[in-house]
Amino acid sequence: MPFNLTQKILSAHLTDGQAVSGREVGIRIDQSLTQDATGTTAFLLLEAMDIPRVRTELSVSYVDHNMPQFGPENHNDHIYLQSVAARMGVYFSRPGNGICHQVHLERFARPGRTLLGSDSHTPTCGGMGMIAIGAGGLDVAVAMGGGAFYLAWPKVIGVELRGKLPPWVSAKDIILRVLSILTTKGNVGCVIEYFGPGVAGLSVPARATCTNMGAELGVTTSIFPADEVTRQFLAAQGRETQFTPLSADEGAAYDRLTKRLHKEKDKAVIDNINRFCTQVEIGKPDKDGFVEVSFGRIVLDLAELEPLAAAPSSPDNVVRVADIAGLKVNQVAIGSCTNSSVQDMSLCAAALHGRMVHPDVELAISPGSRQVLSMLAESGRLADMVAAGARILECACGPCIGQGFSPADGAVSLRTFNRNFAGRSGTEGDKIYLVSPETAIAAAIFGQVTDPRDLSNLLGFESAKIAPPGRFRVDDRMLIPPLPDSTGVEVIRGPTIVKPPAGQPPPDRLDGRVLIKVADKITTDHIMPAGTLLKYRSNVPQYADYVFNCFNEAGKPTFAQRALALKDAGRAGIVVAGDSYGQGSSREHAALCPMCLGVRAVIAKAIERMHQANLVNFAVLPLIFADPADYDRIQAGDDLLIADLRLAVESQEDATVKNATRNFEFPCKILLAPRQRKILSAGGLLAYTRKGP
Ligand code: MIC
Ligand code: SF4
């Protein structure tokens, strides 16, 4: 039977379970990555497992998120991470070396390997033909300790690429087109596999842009084949021996996807499905106007693609750049793990050469890595950027995670990043558009949204294509390799690094109160804000003061205060949510901090993959409304009871929840694999791992 590439790599790594769609399986993890904002907890938890040294083929600890260093917290984290990496046999990528995903792609990614990272954009390395998955830090810690990683055997959605991209249209436009079809909802448990004749025209960083932003679809990962382009990239990085050609077998099958969409409200999405997908079937509308739409693969003719943008405030709010042309722009930011390669940066520098950034625009550029920055410096491109008035930021996440460069009130900001969730930039009511480097640089020069296809005329140069470097500048001195023998290495823990609290086994009976009721598409940024609060990541009790901070109202008790009062009264906190709860990052603090405040259950219409796993890992019960209409019958402040909670967690597929305030009962589903039930019953993954299954 012919296999697709995802099936091939997963099957070769299978340690547990069967390859049946939706069934939980365990896979062996070859490589891991952590970054500082999730890494301190990951390593504190790894230490708590009493594992002397990591058992992966390769593990790398990056420092790229928490860089401003206001107060001692960030530097304490860096010192801890460096010392614990030395102790555990892990590579340490020093602050200044670059963004984890960009550096990993350059120096470590290998076709056919598995990579688990404590960051949702770990799938970036899928651009190299590997299965690269984002997960919570505790899952990564278990994998570093040699344990399997568990996931639902995925549905594999095929994206066939044909033709060649026109000038000034690029990879960002491909993934924005995919987002306009699949949206950020309803893709849990899928892998996106790219194939077809159009793949060969895309460089490895361009492929990585597509797989990176696959995270915004909520899929498990995305993958490209490993071909001649991959070989050339590896050779240019001095790593040709690590190349293996890999692709789907001839005639390999892909899965169909079914989505529940609203006939009117989701009309644009249904139109896109009709336009870009094969074998579309649309069911009859139900009483509320919802239809089941199912389809085969997505087919994109790259030659017909045009510049696109994700308008505020969701990555799937996709519009044509031509339709918003003329909109005044006040700020442009180029960088992030999505678009910060040498090619992306060189293209922007070429457009800026001999010109000035528009007087009404502030332009920030953060090269993705030290390799990128040094190559820009050597080629003179950096001088072009500086001469044009660009503000050069360090090689780190920076504005992408709200570490500075927040836009002014009402300002329009164009960014080459991957997320534009409301407020993530650090400005309430922000107007962030996600665009390609081509569209971003056009706006920086002209002060308004400009279709980059007009740039050939406006700037007088033919094409925007920058050839991939034949040789990258390889200098690994900022990557500290593992010591052959790390016994006796001292781990340095500054006072701001606090051991995370442990989870608790579920009580026999849940007696709780709804602390908050939130709407659809609540992201982990809503639950646990980053920005200036990121520095508290290593101190869970302190960071927990800011849970659901964006919903706190002046003069009223905060979420944390209400939750702690309930906890002190010996009762459980409950969160009620709509569809797609916990979108976005892998940050386990979005489970860990609410748990620390006494939250024991989340009841939602649907919960995203990484967040659901994090809830289970910290013994917070995820429950799904059996009838989504029950969501409307519950209010914040209602008292909810589950009589046989322990029994339900151990063995039942449904739980009956009694709303004692409004005097009615409603059913919820417990959609957990047997292993997850054991984890919850044990009080979380740490206790479960220590005890053994
Ligand atoms: C993000 O892009 O939101 C982050 C910051 O990289 C997160 C990780 C984190 O919260 O530390 C992610 O994507 O997982
Ligand atoms: Fe960093 Fe932004 Fe990428 Fe997250 S999405 S890893 S914050 S650059």
Side-chain angles (χ1 to χ4, degrees):
M1 188 177 120
F3 289 108
N4 58 47
L5 181 52
T6 309
Q7 292 166 334
K8 285 189 193 182
I9 303 178
L10 285 179
S11 305
H13 287 82
L14 203 62
T15 57
D16 205 357
Q18 282 175 338
V20 176
S21 180
R23 220 36 102 73
E24 196 182 58
V25 295
I27 57 166
R28 194 180 68 251
I29 294 300
D30 302 321
Q31 302 187 350
S32 77
L33 73 77
T34 48
Q35 40 89 339
D36 52 324
T38 55
T40 47
T41 359
F43 279 102
L44 287 165
L45 292 164
L46 180 65
E47 286 190 276
M49 287 174 205
D50 291 330
I51 285 162
R53 211 176 149 91
V54 294
R55 299 186 182 124
T56 44
E57 207 171 277
L58 172 103
S59 287
V60 191
S61 168
Y62 293 91
V63 178
D64 53 1
H65 279 64
N66 258 320
M67 306 293 277
Q69 298 182 213
F70 291 112
E73 292 88 349
N74 299 166
H75 199 192
N76 282 341
D77 286 351
H78 303 171
I79 292 171
Y80 166 69
L81 288 170
Q82 180 165 351
S83 64
V84 80
R87 177 79 193 76
M88 294 285 184
V90 169
Y91 271 95
F92 182 67
S93 175
R94 297 174 59 189
N97 198 38
I99 306 175
C100 53
H101 309 302
Q102 174 67 28
V103 178
H104 209 85
L105 188 73
E106 292 166 358
R107 307 303 307 142
F108 298 111
R110 282 180 79 155
R113 296 294 206 269
T114 54
L115 165 69
L116 193 71
S118 61
D119 192 283
S120 64
H121 292 102
T122 304
T124 309
C125 288
M128 180 75 86
M130 68 194 302
I131 290 282
I133 303 177
L138 184 46
D139 279 322
V140 179
V142 169
M144 284 195 275
F149 173 66
Y150 288 84
L151 72 160
W153 186 268
K155 277 192 170 169
V156 185
I157 309 303
V159 178
E160 183 179 344
L161 302 180
R162 298 178 182 163
K164 257 189 133 101
L165 286 170
W168 304 104
V169 180
S170 65
K172 185 63 149 275
D173 303 308
I174 303 178
I175 185 61
L176 287 174
R177 174 50 77 215
V178 176
L179 272 154
S180 77
I181 303 165
L182 293 179
T183 77
T184 59
K185 284 197 311 191
N187 309 311
V188 174
C190 296
V191 169
I192 305 293
E193 186 169 315
Y194 292 86
F195 66 100
V199 167
L202 300 176
S203 66
V204 168
R207 297 172 187 189
T209 296
C210 298
T211 56
N212 169 286
M213 228 178 141
E216 277 47 75
L217 300 165
V219 295
T220 305
T221 189
S222 305
I223 189 165
F224 272 82
D227 58 8
E228 177 54 22
V229 173
T230 322
R231 191 197 60 73
Q232 283 171 12
F233 178 87
L234 281 168
Q237 289 282 358
R239 304 200 281 127
E240 190 174 1
T241 52
Q242 297 178 5
F243 174 69
T244 324
L246 282 175
S247 60
D249 291 334
E250 190 69 39
Y254 292 93
D255 290 299
R256 286 181 72 75
L257 186 61
T258 304
K259 287 175 105 68
R260 188 169 175 266
L261 296 167
H262 197 275
K263 216 169 162 277
E264 305 304 330
K265 291 185 207 142
D266 297 316
K267 190 173 173 313
V269 177
I270 298 176
D271 288 349
N272 282 337
I273 291 175
N274 267 320
R275 190 169 150 208
F276 296 107
C277 300
T278 62
Q279 300 166 330
V280 180
E281 283 169 20
I282 303 182
K284 293 234 156 53
D286 68 9
K287 61 178 185 357
D288 302 317
F290 283 95
V291 287
E292 292 225 322
V293 182
S294 76
F295 48 93
R297 56 179 196 275
I298 298 173
V299 182
L300 298 181
D301 181 352
L302 299 181
E304 282 177 12
L305 203 65
E306 56 186 325
L308 298 170
S313 291
S314 180
D316 61 359
N317 190 12
V318 177
V319 296
R320 293 168 66 230
V321 169
D323 289 342
I324 53 166
L327 179 70
K328 192 165 166 36
V329 174
N330 314 89
Q331 196 196 53
V332 174
I334 296 172
S336 93
C337 54
T338 321
N339 281 110
S340 59
S341 64
V342 182
Q343 269 171 281
D344 285 341
M345 294 284 156
S346 300
L347 173 125
C348 294
L352 288 174
H353 178 80
R355 296 184 179 83
M356 282 304 288
V357 172
H358 190 277
D360 297 340
V361 175
E362 287 194 16
L363 167 66
I365 299 183
S366 27
S369 67
R370 178 169 167 265
Q371 180 181 77
V372 174
L373 181 57
S374 53
M375 287 177 72
L376 292 174
E378 273 172 7
S379 64
R381 305 271 197 206
L382 185 60
D384 286 337
M385 292 172 165
V386 173
R391 293 169 54 183
I392 309 299
L393 308 184
E394 67 178 313
C395 314
C397 299
C400 179
I401 189 59
Q403 301 288 313
F405 207 66
S406 302
D409 291 304
V412 168
S413 178
L414 261 60
R415 301 176 165 211
T416 65
F417 304 169
N418 47 39
R419 290 188 173 147
N420 58 349
F421 303 146
R424 180 174 158 102
S425 69
T427 299
E428 225 177 284
D430 51 9
K431 294 188 188 146
I432 310 288
Y433 290 77
L434 306 174
V435 297
S436 67
E438 288 81 349
T439 304
I441 205 66
I445 295 170
F446 294 102
Q448 55 183 8
V449 175
T450 304
D451 188 328
R453 289 170 301 180
D454 296 338
L455 285 181
S456 295
N457 284 337
L458 292 168
L459 302 184
F461 57 88
E462 287 290 292
S463 149
K465 293 278 178 269
I466 302 275
R471 187 98 210 139
F472 288 92
R473 187 174 193 283
V474 176
D475 170 3
D476 287 336
R477 285 173 301 160
M478 289 286 276
L479 280 169
I480 303 178
L483 296 168
D485 177 7
S486 50
T487 39
V489 173
E490 193 203 345
V491 176
I492 304 166
R493 278 180 210 86
T496 54
I497 295 170
V498 175
K499 213 168 123 196
Q504 299 295 327
D508 292 339
R509 174 174 182 272
L510 184 82
D511 166 13
R513 175 168 296 167
V514 179
L515 286 167
I516 194 166
K517 180 182 172 186
V518 289
D520 289 348
K521 286 188 167 191
I522 290 299
T523 70
T524 51
D525 282 83
H526 291 108
I527 308 170
M528 269 340 291
T532 48
L533 302 172
L534 202 59
K535 67 178 189 175
Y536 300 129
R537 282 287 175 91
S538 307
N539 185 343
V540 170
Q542 185 170 6
Y543 195 30
D545 283 345
Y546 302 98
V547 174
F548 286 120
N549 201 31
C550 62
F551 297 118
N552 288 333
E553 290 174 56
K556 294 199 180 156
T558 63
F559 178 92
Q561 287 165 337
R562 286 183 286 120
L564 284 175
L566 195 69
K567 188 179 176 193
D568 289 346
R571 302 189 57 211
I574 298 171
V575 171
V576 169
D579 211 351
S580 223
Y581 180 70
Q583 272 190 12
S585 78
S586 67
R587 69 188 69 148
E588 61 197 343
H589 294 78
L592 183 50
C593 293
M595 178 213 80
C596 176
L597 299 176
V599 171
R600 304 300 307 252
V602 171
I603 311 179
K605 291 186 190 169
I607 305 178
E608 292 296 305
R609 172 188 69 88
M610 279 183 286
H611 188 58
Q612 157 127 340
N614 287 333
L615 289 172
V616 171
N617 286 352
F618 293 102
V620 179
L621 175 65
L623 290 165
I624 305 298
F625 285 107
D627 178 358
D630 285 330
Y631 168 87
D632 298 321
R633 301 167 72 202
I634 305 174
Q635 292 309 327
D638 285 1
D639 287 320
L640 304 184
L641 305 172
I642 301 180
D644 278 325
L645 180 70
R646 186 157 259 285
L647 190 72
V649 167
E650 277 166 11
S651 56
Q652 289 170 1
E653 299 203 337
D654 306 287
T656 303
V657 185
K658 182 174 166 60
N659 186 328
T661 308
R662 289 169 209 279
N663 203 20
F664 70 92
E665 290 187 343
F666 62 97
C668 281
K669 291 185 273 185
I670 306 182
L671 301 176
L672 297 173
R675 191 191 62 97
Q676 293 179 307
R677 290 176 187 274
K678 288 190 194 148
I679 292 174
L680 267 167
S681 303
L685 183 59
L686 186 58
Y688 172 80
T689 309
R690 279 208 193 118
K691 194 169 100 209

